[in-house]
Amino acid sequence: MKCVLMVAEKPSLAASLANILSNGKAITRKGFNGACSIHEWNGVFRDINVKFKFTSVCGHVSGLDFVGKYNSWNLCDPVDLFSCGVEKKEATPKLKMPQFLASEARGCDFLVLWLDCDKEGENICFEVMDAVSNSIRNVRSSQVTYRAKFSAITEKDIKHAFNNLQYPNENEAKSVDARQELDLRVGCAFTRFQTKFFQGRYGDLDSSLISFGPCQTPTLGFCVARHDEIQQFKPESFWYVQVTIDPEQKLEWQRVRIFEKEIAMIFFNIVKDQKEAIVESVTSKENFRSRPLALNTVELMRSASSGLGIGPHVAMQIAEKLYTQGYISYPRTETTTYPTNFDLRGVLKMFESSNEYGEDAKNIQNNFCQPRKGEDCGDHPPITPSKLASRNDFDNDTWRLYDFIVRYYMGTLSKDLKYRSTVTRFLIDGEVFTNTSNVLIDAGFTKVMTWQAFGKNELTTPFSKGDRVPIKDVKLIESQTGPPSYLTEADLISLMEKHGIGTDASIPVHINNITQRNYVTVEAGRRLKPTTLGIVLVHGYQKIDPELVLPTMRSAVEKQLNLIAQGSADFRAVLRHAIDIFRLKFQYFVTNISNMDSLFEVSFSSLAESGKSHSRCGKCRRYMKYIQQKPARLHCSHCDETYSLPVGGIARVYRELKCPLDDFELLAWSNGNKGRSFPFCPYCYNNPPFNDMTRGSGCNSCTHPTCQHSLSSLGVAQCIECDKGILVLDCTSSPKNWKLGCNSCDCIINCFEDALKVSVDEEACNDCGAQLLQVLYKQTNTPFSDGDDKKTGCIFCSNEFMPLIEKHKAVENRRLNSTRGRSSRGRGKGGRSHRGRPKPPKDKMAQLAAYFV
DNA sequence: GCAAGGTC
């Protein structure tokens, strides 16, 4: 029997599409990658009986990256990133997606692609075809591979798509390839250049990465634009006449306010001596506030931020969790209209038994309103609740978001809010004042969406035309115009949506980025206030090349890319043109960076003047400065060199010891009292002296043959927790604390408390191959039963050491293993070199010689 | 250590 492989963009969609197409008959099994399932059934495809297999990918199968050395920050000039090679790589290696697809496709004759119907989906179609090209013959043929085009996940739509299969659109897919390549080259080139440039000059930037991106930078731009408005705002004084009538009620002046005091005074003088206001007219009309459209992602994020105080990133994480647990429908959609056959009442029914919502759900069913017609974007149905939950099922924020989604859903099926608005016009010697009073007629959807409840302001006594109302008080009030506030997250989301910056799925990522990178902070009310770094960056772009931060930049690029999608321009030509433009922009940016730098200069302190005097430079013997702000560095202002330091923790001067290779003073890095620690040479850490030592290593990885701090001198045994590392004696906090620490993982073994001295012996243990240790105690407090103050033994095998070694599960295991090993196989696991002292590098003298040259 | 876009 012929076999048809069908592929959707995500596991959940594969399940629901298979269910529709098989009329519920599909049998499901889990795929070997643990993430995707395969749904199988027999049916008819193009008039023949076939077996169907429906599975999915998880988003993109592949992603783009630079080739080889261009991934390294130190091995190439950022400008090379505009011309160097790029290659496709597996997007998520642990999912083994190409392998999974290839194996499921084996033996299949046809491929039907059910990826989301947007350009990204079209691009993934071709990624899937690539992945199965060795499994399905002629996969590029339009007689083998088909594309289903659907706009809603409804039986009608899906079956229609199945009966009208097409071929995937290569032009649309290509336009995505172009976008990927352009974003990669431009983003990484600018990011690397400006990060290295500014980190090499300033010590208090408080940022480990100064990134640029075609979406994140305009996003930051919005926040800084508002900041600039606030800064440039000049308050203006204005005056208004405030009349209070009896019974007490303030009236609104029809002129609202006046910016010249003298003129305001004239009106005030007219009104102030009057005793009565005459009712000129009373008009009344019914107004309404519409119930909401069905909920989509952007609105969910906006409301979560402004109403619940939950940021978009976290909101989406919670929504994702609610979705995978079945409480709500798929939370990423732009659509704001329910599918035609959606069981609106069924969902309400589900809530009838709920303590929280039961009463509302019944009321709404009795007064059921058809939802408003929104937009169908052809992606997924709006976000709706799909399972009843109660308060105890979740933590507080999860409950609040779930509650919001339930109430919003009920709101969309409720009546509009209705109120009566009555405007009373008063005349006071020719001046017009009004009072507007609103009276609620029907709370409508705000009965469930209580946060939108109607603020009442009823007039205590209604008036009729011709009434003469006593005036209680007349005042001339002086006030000032105020600046706008910082942008709220909700405002920012709206701006991004309006300018097409990011997508519903990536908007929270960009906002999160600019906060994580320390360009903006989230203030009370989730308002986004730019930091000095954020402001200086945006102002710098504006000085050098304003287009870099303009929100229109993204859409201009998208426009070009759309030419590819429409087939009216050649992929290569458009891409080359766009890359050329950005390369020129980049080069212009680099040559004019001093314009941005002059702004940095004002706000940040140069490396030379930041940090504290710390340890000596091996080249000039002068003290270098220790800059503790992220990323921690040592800076020698005399040599104008900067040395990076291990991430986190603290690097203190290590007993004024020096590296025998370069004369730099050694430092002891430690990550808290009980954490890892090791000595290192700041020069070797950045410029490893031996081939078998990687950048970012301490002395505990150094193969120097004679230095007393090196791995060669202090290595004891292979690590008991990881495969790669070696346990090295760590003397940096001796004699208070002695410990063995792995030079690769976090494994630490504390030992020999209060010993005067611990050192690594020349000999190795006969039983397990570990290097022996010599331990010396004060005569007065030796722990050994025979009264000796000095012993040599094995940390794993010597009985008299056992009580002096921290109880460590892995140590116990190793002891057991080595005992067992002895009885069954003679001696340990067989004296491999890594067990004892690690082999010194083969040609160490040659390496040393090379280093000194 | 880098972008933006999918999704887990």
Side-chain angles (χ1 to χ4, degrees), chain A residues 721-735:
Chain A
E721 286 187 350
C722 74
D723 300 332
K724 288 187 299 187
I726 290 169
L727 293 171
V728 182
L729 179 66
D730 173 7
C731 311
T732 54
S733 28
S734 64

Side-chain angles (χ1 to χ4, degrees), chain A residues 475-517:
Chain A
K475 278 192 192 132
L476 185 68
I477 309 255
E478 179 176 350
S479 186
Q480 280 194 326
T481 54
S485 312
Y486 285 108
L487 228 46
T488 64
E489 227 165 25
D491 297 334
L492 181 60
I493 294 169
S494 302
L495 282 168
M496 293 174 75
E497 194 188 22
K498 182 176 146 203
H499 288 90
I501 308 282
T503 65
D504 51 352
S506 69
I507 281 174
V509 178
H510 299 312
I511 298 180
N512 200 45
N513 270 344
I514 62 170
T515 56
Q516 292 295 312
R517 304 268 158 84

Side-chain angles (χ1 to χ4, degrees), chain A residues 245-247 276-282 424-428 459 461-470:
Chain A
I245 53 168
D246 190 17
E276 284 178 338
I278 297 158
V279 176
E280 189 196 33
S281 67
V282 179
T424 310
R425 269 170 76 94
F426 297 88
L427 275 180
I428 305 176
L459 249 187
T461 14
F463 297 103
S464 331
K465 188 178 173 185
D467 282 354
R468 302 177 85 86
V469 183

Side-chain angles (χ1 to χ4, degrees), chain A residues 110-248:
Chain A
F110 302 102
L111 176 65
V112 182
L113 298 159
W114 290 85
L115 290 122
D116 291 0
C117 294
D118 51 25
K119 284 189 282 182
E120 296 294 333
E122 223 57 32
N123 186 270
I124 302 175
C125 282
F126 285 84
E127 295 180 346
V128 172
M129 286 157 74
D130 278 347
V132 302
S133 60
N134 287 330
S135 303
I136 300 180
R137 280 163 52 91
N138 294 329
V139 76
R140 286 280 177 156
S141 154
S142 62
Q143 300 305 304
V144 172
T145 292
Y146 299 87
R147 171 71 157 127
K149 287 278 194 180
F150 53 102
S151 56
I153 321 298
T154 60
E155 182 167 354
K156 190 176 145 211
D157 213 76
I158 294 309
K159 292 202 165 159
H160 179 264
F162 184 64
N163 292 322
N164 294 275
L165 294 174
Q166 304 167 24
Y167 190 75
N169 183 329
E170 189 158 13
N171 288 330
E172 288 192 2
K174 281 273 179 206
S175 81
V176 171
D177 284 340
R179 200 253 318 136
Q180 287 179 341
E181 192 174 325
L182 192 63
D183 286 349
L184 177 72
R185 292 186 190 280
V186 175
C188 297
F190 275 89
T191 298
R192 286 188 198 175
F193 167 70
Q194 59 186 29
T195 300
K196 286 206 281 196
F197 183 85
F198 291 114
Q199 270 181 2
R201 294 173 76 85
Y202 300 98
D204 54 350
L205 281 178
D206 199 19
S207 170
S208 49
L209 198 67
I210 303 173
S211 55
F212 172 90
C215 288
Q216 57 173 267
T217 302
T219 302
L220 171 63
F222 289 127
C223 301
V224 176
R226 177 59 66 88
H227 166 85
D228 292 341
E229 261 180 69
I230 295 170
Q231 291 298 302
Q232 284 151 20
F233 183 83
K234 289 198 191 72
E236 268 185 282
S237 291
F238 62 85
W239 291 262
Y240 62 94
V241 179
Q242 187 186 71
V243 174
T244 311
I245 53 168
D246 190 17
E248 178 136 349

Side-chain angles (χ1 to χ4, degrees), chain A residues 364-378:
Chain A
I364 293 170
Q365 289 204 68
N366 295 335
N367 300 287
F368 189 82
C369 277
Q370 283 302 323
R372 286 168 59 201
K373 182 118 189 77
E375 205 178 331
D376 184 350
C377 302

